[in-house]
Amino acid sequence: MARAPKISFVELKPSVAGTAVVLVDENLSLGRVAKSALAPAGQLLSRAAKSEGFKGKLGKTLDLIAPAELSADRLIVLGLGKLKELKPTEWIKLGGKTMAKVPASAKKVTVLLELPEGTVSATAAAEFALGMRLRAYKFDRYKTKKKNDDAENGDVSADISIAVSDPAAARKAWAPREAIAGGIVLARDLVNEPANVLYPAEFAKRASALKKLGVGIDVLDVKAMKKLGMNALLGVGQGSAHESRLVVMRWNGGKKGKPPVAIVGKGVCFDTGGISIKPASNMEDMKGDMAGAACVVGLMHALAARKAKVNAVGVIGLVENMPGGEAQRPGDIVKTMSGQTIEIINTDAEGRLVLADALWYTKDRFKPKFMINLATLTGAIIVALGQEYAGMFSNNDKLCEHLTAAGQETGERVWRMPLGPEYDKQIDSKFADMKNTGGRNGGAITAAQLLQRFVGDTPWAHLDVAGTAMAVQPSDYNTSWGPGWGVRLLNRWIENHHED
Ligand code: BES
Ligand code: MN
Ligand code: ZN
């Protein structure tokens, strides 16, 4: 794995060395300590700002190299804009923007994190640190040419000191976020990993590593799943040389006996489409068709690492969807664990088949208070919402409200889409209880409508993350192909509503 920068919180002192970062508002006013640190440089800041047209706008930076009269090798000035308009959700982005300016060669970075007037809260400081940590992530384990000797492939591995008025409080706010960062980075690694490396058994092995954090792990192999009657899931994997798995992860940090929240993930390690094979163009992206499962593993990591006071179950269905002599055919009919039968019309609509059994199993075995599933389920959701929002389908208004709020707070936003019996006729089958495709119209909805048949009356939400959890555009705190989407969203939902 790429090396992570070392982040610590220290006292504010008017000394700068290595790479120094200071904050200014739209009047280019500095904090008290930064002002005295930069005093020896005289008019440096105002002159440089003028010549660069830097006005201290939110998120804009001014980069000064080897400033005379200062012991720092580099001074990065970060704009905060109008302080009155500065929202708490900006700090993670500001951290990311700052990290983007830190050169790979930097050994030591000091951020004087103070406002022109007043202090930066512990929470804001910790969010800033999270932004730095997430921006520093790089997936480069398959690059064999080292770009420089010190930093692994040019990765930022500097020591980062964030100077704040109350370091102890900032450290306390950082501890859970460091756990969350670990979960996000784990999810990113899983999504970025190619499918020749990350097949179901290997995925199960990596999920099993959560044992060392105190997560209980069960891995079900093909034999165990056959016994349970998970023929929909197994049908998807039967054309692959790699055997399917189902992994159950349990974190019991809540009151004993309290019913858990359950998170279920689609883990199609590679989706060729099967016999209904996909076109070649961009098929390589389908290594990310396990992003839902990756999020579940990342979330379980985060919960365990921060010792969340919640009982949570994570379940991931791991398969590879391949054509081959043993592959399932269009027209095949499978009997799910629930007893309901599904006619396969298109073998490329495989995610719902995996989830049909994974959802039923989870509901049946754990009787969860809430069940949320994440799946890169349909291209149709990308057509509907683009890559800004995940589609949310649910049988419970309160759950939707809570997820929407957690989305606004974390920036991992969800948009509710409809469900309804009117859509059922699109998935009626001539030969079985239902068919696995509902035609072009409302493709994301008919997929969700099928999933709903496997959750009973459990309060449930399905998040279609095809647009948000893989192949994303870079953002301030993510330059990874797989962003680890959903870990912060669900962690926040749990923190807001399900911790004792
Ligand atoms: N994994 C795909 C959906 C997908 C598409 C995810 C693009 C990410 C980016 C899913 O298994 C799939 O192939 N869905 C089909 C369903 C269709 C055959 C009914 C689709 O969306 O085209
Ligand atoms: Mn598919
Ligand atoms: Zn798929």
Side-chain angles (χ1 to χ4, degrees):
M1 201 210 289
R3 251 190 292 170
K6 223 180 91 225
I7 295 178
S8 47
F9 294 90
V10 300
E11 300 279 350
L12 275 163
K13 273 198 244 91
S15 63
V16 285
T19 297
V21 182
V22 297
L23 280 48
V24 296
D25 66 7
E26 42 148 18
N27 304 315
L28 299 186
S29 304
L30 290 155
R32 189 176 50 85
V33 177
K35 199 189 250 166
S36 73
L38 300 195
Q43 300 306 303
L44 171 72
L45 177 55
S46 53
R47 287 179 58 200
K50 196 164 176 204
S51 104
E52 280 285 295
F54 174 77
K55 299 202 171 70
K57 289 225 172 81
L58 179 63
K60 295 278 187 265
T61 53
L62 176 66
D63 205 357
L64 302 175
I65 299 156
E69 318 296 337
L70 295 183
S71 51
D73 303 320
R74 182 186 290 259
L75 178 68
I76 298 168
V77 185
L78 173 66
L80 300 175
K82 288 191 178 44
L83 292 184
K84 267 194 243 122
E85 293 172 9
L86 185 58
K87 293 201 278 303
T89 48
E90 292 298 330
W91 287 102
I92 184 171
K93 298 184 207 164
L94 290 167
K97 286 204 157 95
T98 300
M99 191 50 122
K101 294 291 167 182
V102 173
S105 59
K107 298 250 189 312
K108 173 118 194 81
V109 182
T110 306
V111 184
L112 301 181
L113 203 66
E114 50 167 354
L115 296 179
E117 271 156 57
T119 58
V120 173
S121 74
T123 317
E127 284 286 309
F128 185 90
L130 181 59
M132 289 192 88
R133 171 73 189 89
L134 293 178
R135 176 68 190 227
Y137 173 89
K138 243 188 190 168
F139 184 78
D140 54 10
R141 64 174 60 152
Y142 300 107
K143 298 263 193 197
T144 61
K145 305 268 189 303
K146 304 279 176 194
K147 283 194 195 130
N148 82 47
D149 292 334
D150 297 320
E152 188 183 321
N153 293 334
D155 195 12
V156 177
S157 55
D159 275 357
I160 296 168
S161 300
I162 300 180
V164 287
S165 59
D166 187 348
R171 266 176 226 129
K172 209 169 149 209
W174 171 237
R177 287 175 179 79
E178 192 173 21
I180 295 160
I184 295 168
V185 163
L186 172 57
R188 287 179 180 179
D189 276 347
L190 290 168
V191 177
N192 289 330
E193 212 46 284
N196 61 328
V197 174
L198 194 73
Y199 46 88
E202 172 63 20
F203 198 133
K205 197 172 133 202
R206 296 205 189 176
S208 302
L210 295 184
K211 253 183 217 155
K212 64 176 187 293
L213 295 174
V215 176
I217 306 280
D218 292 333
V219 178
L220 278 61
D221 61 9
V222 170
K223 198 172 145 216
M225 287 189 276
K226 266 199 184 128
K227 214 168 143 195
L228 288 164
M230 296 186 165
N231 300 309
L233 185 155
L234 289 169
V236 175
Q238 76 188 29
S240 169
H242 294 294
E243 283 195 3
S244 304
R245 295 282 186 273
L246 185 107
V247 181
V248 179
M249 295 157 272
R250 269 164 305 150
W251 169 251
N252 290 321
K255 288 208 181 73
K256 213 169 168 247
K258 201 171 167 190
V261 298
I263 318 291
V264 179
K266 168 180 173 181
V268 177
C269 293
F270 196 82
D271 182 12
T272 64
I275 295 299
S276 317
I277 198 160
K278 288 181 179 296
S281 141
N282 299 116
M283 204 207 273
E284 68 278 11
D285 282 355
M286 285 301 126
K287 71 172 184 177
D289 208 17
M290 29 54 69
C295 172
V296 176
V297 176
L299 175 70
M300 296 306 290
H301 173 106
L303 295 177
R306 71 176 181 81
K307 299 202 162 37
K309 290 189 168 55
V310 64
N311 295 332
V313 180
V315 175
I316 54 179
L318 302 170
V319 300
E320 185 180 53
N321 188 21
M322 296 286 275
E326 310 261 306
Q328 73 179 345
R329 293 147 292 255
D332 283 6
I333 294 175
V334 293
K335 186 168 197 139
T336 62
M337 182 183 172
S338 75
Q340 302 174 85
T341 56
I342 308 179
E343 182 189 9
I344 312 299
I345 300 299
N346 187 320
T347 63
D348 196 12
E350 84 298 341
R352 62 200 77 181
L353 300 170
V354 172
L355 287 171
D357 281 332
L359 287 167
W360 183 267
Y361 171 83
T362 305
K363 155 189 105 70
D364 207 44
R365 174 165 170 201
F366 296 105
K367 318 261 180 303
K369 198 162 47 167
F370 291 96
M371 182 157 70
I372 297 177
N373 74 261
L374 299 105
T376 49
L377 203 64
T378 66
I381 201 66
I382 310 178
V383 175
L385 299 176
Q387 297 199 284
E388 304 303 324
Y389 287 80
M392 172 169 67
F393 301 83
S394 177
N395 57 10
N396 188 287
D397 295 346
K398 202 89 217 151
L399 177 57
C400 286
E401 265 173 46
H402 290 169
L403 286 170
T404 301
Q408 292 297 343
E409 289 165 34
T410 57
E412 294 183 337
R413 294 173 300 173
V414 295
W415 192 265
R416 191 172 187 181
M417 301 280 290
L419 284 168
E422 310 79 22
Y423 294 98
D424 275 333
K425 56 184 174 301
Q426 280 178 253
I427 53 172
D428 283 346
S429 159
K430 222 185 306 213
F431 299 104
D433 296 336
M434 66 197 92
K435 56 185 182 183
N436 79 328
T437 57
R440 253 177 63 82
N441 292 348
I445 305 171
T446 49
Q449 199 70 27
L450 186 146
L451 297 186
Q452 190 175 19
R453 297 183 180 197
F454 297 88
V455 303
D457 42 26
T458 311
W460 155 81
H462 150 54
L463 304 181
D464 193 335
V465 298
T468 54
M470 54 183 274
V472 299
Q473 299 303 311
S475 75
D476 290 335
Y477 51 90
N478 179 64
T479 60
S480 168
W481 186 83
W485 193 98
V487 175
R488 288 173 60 247
L489 170 74
L490 294 180
N491 177 77
R492 183 63 68 96
W493 172 70
I494 285 174
E495 195 183 312
N496 287 352
H497 301 288
H498 297 291
E499 292 199 53
D500 297 337

